[in-house]
């Protein structure tokens, strides 16, 4: 699971996703949501202290099935507990995804940001941002 899956759980159609940066940086997804197509962005990191998804969900869902057994964190549970846990997990995932869908940047927004970034090639932040926005512009 991750950011794109959270957007999908919230009802968006994710067309593509890109991560700009190495162990931390900015992610972007091209989405279709409520009749609008555009870019949704957020930050990512390499640990639960600097990555919002990891902070909220750890490494993913703790509920799973194996060999016809229902498990939570490796412990056997009832099917009812499993279904309730999965339902709650996907509701949390959808709520998390919705928090990113309140701003969907269209092509004009992306082009405007690109035009106003630093022209200094040594500026690492603007370099990552330029990479992400140039990718998005071509898809919008």
């Amino acid at each position: 699971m991750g950011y794109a899956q959270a957007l999908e759980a919230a009802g968006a159609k994710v067309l593509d996703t890109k991560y700009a940066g190495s162990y931390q940086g900015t992610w972007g997804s091209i989405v279709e949501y409520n009749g609008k197509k555009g870019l949704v962005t957020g930050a990512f990191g390499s640990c639960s202290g600097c990555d919002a998804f990891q902070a909220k969900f750890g490494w993913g869902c703790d509920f799973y099935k194996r060999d016809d057994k229902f498990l939570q964190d490796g412990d056997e549970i009832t099917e009812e507990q499993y279904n309730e846990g999965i339902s709650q997990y996907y509701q949390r995932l959808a709520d998390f995804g919705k928090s990113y869908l309140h701003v969907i940047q269209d092509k004009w927004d992306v082009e405007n940001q690109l035009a106003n970034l630093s022209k200094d090639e040594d500026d690492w932040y603007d370099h990552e941002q330029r990479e992400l926005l140039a990718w998005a512009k071509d898809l919008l």
Side-chain angles (χ1 to χ4, degrees):
M1 289 287 163
Y3 292 99
Q5 291 82 8
L7 296 171
E8 289 172 343
K13 179 179 180 184
V14 177
L15 305 175
D16 203 357
T17 298
K18 179 172 181 63
Y19 288 79
S22 54
Y23 64 94
Q24 63 184 15
T26 304
W27 63 267
S29 289
I30 303 297
V31 300
E32 291 177 353
Y33 182 71
N34 286 343
K36 186 171 183 179
K37 179 180 177 182
L39 174 66
V40 174
T41 62
F44 71 91
S46 60
C47 66
S48 62
C50 58
D51 184 275
F53 186 86
Q54 286 186 39
K56 186 112 175 145
F57 297 98
W59 293 104
C61 185
D62 299 329
F63 297 89
Y64 54 98
K65 279 178 63 173
R66 184 184 313 140
D67 301 327
D68 295 327
K69 292 181 181 179
F70 299 96
L71 304 166
Q72 178 184 7
D73 293 326
D75 297 325
E76 193 168 351
I77 58 174
T78 67
E79 183 175 4
E80 184 178 281
Q81 290 170 315
Y82 170 82
N83 289 336
E84 180 64 25
I86 290 290
S87 177
Q88 290 175 2
Y89 177 80
Y90 278 99
Q91 184 59 57
R92 288 177 48 231
L93 192 63
D95 292 344
F96 182 79
K98 284 178 189 173
S99 71
Y100 290 96
L101 291 168
H102 65 278
V103 176
I104 299 176
Q105 304 166 63
D106 62 18
K107 189 170 186 170
W108 182 89
D109 295 321
V110 170
E111 289 173 337
N112 190 41
Q113 289 179 69
L114 272 169
N116 289 297
L117 288 175
S118 167
K119 304 302 183 216
D120 180 0
E121 288 296 321
D122 292 329
D123 186 332
W124 64 267
Y125 175 78
D126 278 1
H127 177 74
E128 288 179 0
Q129 192 69 0
R130 186 177 299 103
E131 175 187 339
L132 183 68
L133 293 170
W135 164 83
K137 179 183 166 192
D138 290 341
L139 295 174
L140 294 175

